[in-house]
């Protein structure tokens, strides 16, 4: 029985000594994020490239150039559509003005002979 108690004591002591302990200072260091002004060229590279140069490389890429061309094309199409709508609106306004003027002339011409004739 004494041997069993001593074995259990040794095992518990061994487990307590080998258990993983966390230090409070270590966790705080991992949370702090450092901002660098360079970016790695690739995962196997020894050096780094400036953020400005990386931005220039991305801007000169074919995908970026294609997206810029697409945006310009869409802006031109929108401009054309706006111009066409403005032309249509102007035509409609002119037609409405002509119709209103014609109606006024008809009313004036209908009212003038009726007032100028004498009823006997």
């Amino acid at each position: 029985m004494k041997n069993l108690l001593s074995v259990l004591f040794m095992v518990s002591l061994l487990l307590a000594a080998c258990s993983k302990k966390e230090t409070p200072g270590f966790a705080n260091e991992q949370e702090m994020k450092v901002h660098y002004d360079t970016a790695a060229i690739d995962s196997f590279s020894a050096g780094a490239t400036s953020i400005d140069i990386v931005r220039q490389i991305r801007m000169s890429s074919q995908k970026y150039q294609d997206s810029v061309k697409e945006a310009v094309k869409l802006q031109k199409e929108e401009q054309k559509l706006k111009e066409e709508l403005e032309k249509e609106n102007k035509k409609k306004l002119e037609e409405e003005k002509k119709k209103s003027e014609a109606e006024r002339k008809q009313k004036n011409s209908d009212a003038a002979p009726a007032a100028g004739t004498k009823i006997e």
Side-chain angles (χ1 to χ4, degrees), residues 2 7-9 19 21 25-26 33 38 55 59 63 74-77 82 91 99 101 110 113 120:
K2 278 186 170 182
V7 170
L8 287 174
F9 177 72
S19 67
K21 295 180 182 178
F26 182 72
K33 192 171 187 179
T38 58
R55 186 177 303 126
M59 288 172 50
K63 186 176 182 180
L74 288 174
Q75 286 179 349
K76 286 181 181 178
E77 289 178 9
K82 286 180 182 180
K91 287 180 182 179
K99 287 180 183 179
E101 288 176 10
D110 290 342
E120 294 181 18

Side-chain angles (χ1 to χ4, degrees), residues 7-8 26 38 41 49 54 56 63 73 80 84 96 115:
V7 170
L8 287 174
F26 182 72
T38 58
I41 295 172
T49 305
V54 171
Q56 289 175 355
K63 186 176 182 180
K73 186 177 178 181
K80 287 180 183 178
E84 289 177 7
E96 289 177 5

Side-chain angles (χ1 to χ4, degrees), residues 15-76:
L15 288 175
C18 293
S19 67
K20 187 175 181 180
K21 295 180 182 178
E22 296 181 18
T23 59
F26 182 72
N28 290 338
E29 290 177 17
Q30 285 182 345
E31 291 177 13
M32 183 173 40
K33 192 171 187 179
V34 179
H35 178 71
Y36 296 102
D37 63 343
T38 58
I41 295 172
D42 61 3
S43 60
F44 300 105
S45 133
T49 305
S50 171
I51 294 294
D52 295 329
I53 294 173
V54 171
R55 186 177 303 126
Q56 289 175 355
I57 292 170
R58 287 182 184 151
M59 288 172 50
S60 67
S61 71
Q62 186 66 30
K63 186 176 182 180
Y64 180 78
Q65 295 297 327
D66 290 342
S67 66
V68 169
K69 288 178 185 177
E70 185 75 21
V72 170
K73 186 177 178 181
L74 288 174
Q75 286 179 349
K76 286 181 181 178

Side-chain angles (χ1 to χ4, degrees), residues 87-100:
K87 287 179 183 178
E88 289 178 11
N89 288 337
K90 287 181 182 179
K91 287 180 182 179
K92 287 180 182 178
L93 288 174
E94 289 176 7
E95 289 175 6
E96 289 177 5
K97 286 180 182 179
K98 289 179 182 178
K99 287 180 183 179
S100 63

